[in-house]
Amino acid sequence: MILDTFKLDGKVAVVTGAGRGIGQAYALALAEAGAAVATVDVTPAEATVARIQALGRNAKAYAVDLSGAETAAQPLIDRILANFGRIDILVNNAGIIRRHPFTDHSAKDWGDVLAVNLSAPFFLSQAAAKAMIAQGQGGKIINIASMLSFQGGILIPGYAASKGGIKSLTMLMANELAPHGIQVNAIAPGYIATDNTAPIRADPARNQAILDRIPAGRWGTPDDLKGICVFLASPASDYMTGATVNVDGGWLSR
Ligand code: NAP
């Protein structure tokens, strides 16, 4: 039956940035659908893990700074494999944003954002894909894009470049990993109320301008993204790969 294809019983998911915001919703959604979940944050996501364990699912928090993913990714994946036995789903959600005008944007802000938002998904996906290929049962990798994968925005050159890049990387990974039964897609959230967007929600003029452009007439919530995450993590999406799916209250249609 169709709803059975959305179930994740017996699957092991890795979710980065699962301690708060959108990543916490992804981790809970995957657990509600049946998966065990390894969370990866700078500050271990103990509250998320407790909520997953309360659902009766296995969960464990890993404290890793993904700005050093080039060296941290493989040891992290090895530890998760040792603890959980396998990896079926990777959600590259952790992300940061720095807001300064283009001409004043520092090399540090540029480098920090690219490291977490683009390089970390590259290195983590590389390590996870090798594990999935060795398991021989396919897998699912979900990257997190943005409206800035489609638009330039203002004040956020590093973020826009990282989110444009993640859309392209998603397509390349989809092409190369398809023969192994691994599907790679990206979710492009619209404007979602989290810590990441608190500064623009606190600016009355900017907040109103954004609201006026969203056909749904409201900011999104992390819970608005749970359905697409489970779909892309599950066999229900097995013929879908290389896509970047906007979940934006209609923003891009406007
Ligand atoms: P958030 O509330 O600011 O949470 C960011 C998460 O990423 C936290 O759990 C944080 O962990 C983790 N993180 C940040 N830097 C890290 C690092 N160096 N190593 C490991 N973990 C790190 O962000 P959000 O709004 O939920 O956004 C989640 C994702 O969705 C991001 O990729 C973001 O770009 C994307 N997105 C958000 C929106 C939106 O409107 N909010 C829209 C489009 C796309 P700690 O708590 O340990 O710092």
Side-chain angles (χ1 to χ4, degrees), residues 2-9 11 13 29-30 33-35 88-91 139-142 181 183 185 226-240:
I2 182 62
L3 289 182
D4 291 331
T5 68
F6 289 78
K7 289 183 179 169
L8 301 177
D9 298 289
K11 305 286 187 191
L30 297 173
D88 303 287
I89 300 156
L90 169 65
V91 184
K140 301 280 183 178
I141 298 177
I142 302 171
Q183 289 82 47
N185 293 287
K226 289 171 87 171
I228 187 70
C229 181
V230 170
F231 172 61
L232 293 179
S234 72
S237 61
D238 274 356
Y239 194 59
M240 180 169 176

Side-chain angles (χ1 to χ4, degrees), residues 16-23 26 40-44 64-67 92-96 116-117 144-147 159 163 187-197 219:
T16 69
R20 54 196 164 101
I22 296 170
Y26 291 146
V40 183
D41 298 74
V42 178
T43 310
V64 174
D65 182 349
L66 290 170
S67 59
N92 285 307
N93 166 79
I96 59 174
V116 177
N117 293 12
I144 306 308
S146 162
M147 297 297 93
Y159 189 84
K163 295 302 184 180
I187 300 169
Y191 284 81
I192 310 297
T194 67
D195 294 346
N196 172 306
T197 50
W219 280 77

Side-chain angles (χ1 to χ4, degrees), residues 10 31 44 79 92 101 156 182 215 226 245:
R79 284 167 64 204
N92 285 307
I156 48 171
I182 300 169
K226 289 171 87 171
V245 184

Side-chain angles (χ1 to χ4, degrees), residues 17-129:
R20 54 196 164 101
I22 296 170
Q24 184 177 57
Y26 291 146
L28 291 170
L30 297 173
E32 287 168 21
V37 182
T39 66
V40 183
D41 298 74
V42 178
T43 310
E46 299 296 358
T48 305
V49 163
R51 289 178 66 180
I52 293 171
Q53 288 171 339
L55 294 168
R57 312 287 184 218
N58 189 13
K60 186 170 169 58
Y62 296 81
V64 174
D65 182 349
L66 290 170
S67 59
E70 181 175 356
T71 52
Q74 189 63 57
L76 169 66
I77 294 298
D78 289 345
R79 284 167 64 204
I80 293 170
L81 286 169
N83 292 140
F84 287 85
R86 56 185 297 109
I87 294 174
D88 303 287
I89 300 156
L90 169 65
V91 184
N92 285 307
N93 166 79
I96 59 174
I97 192 164
R98 301 277 167 79
R99 294 185 176 87
H100 299 291
F102 173 71
T103 48
D104 299 332
H105 217 80
S106 69
K108 176 164 173 36
D109 283 344
W110 172 265
D112 288 353
V113 171
L114 267 291
V116 177
N117 293 12
L118 187 57
S119 297
F122 169 71
F123 290 115
L124 265 184
S125 298
Q126 217 173 32

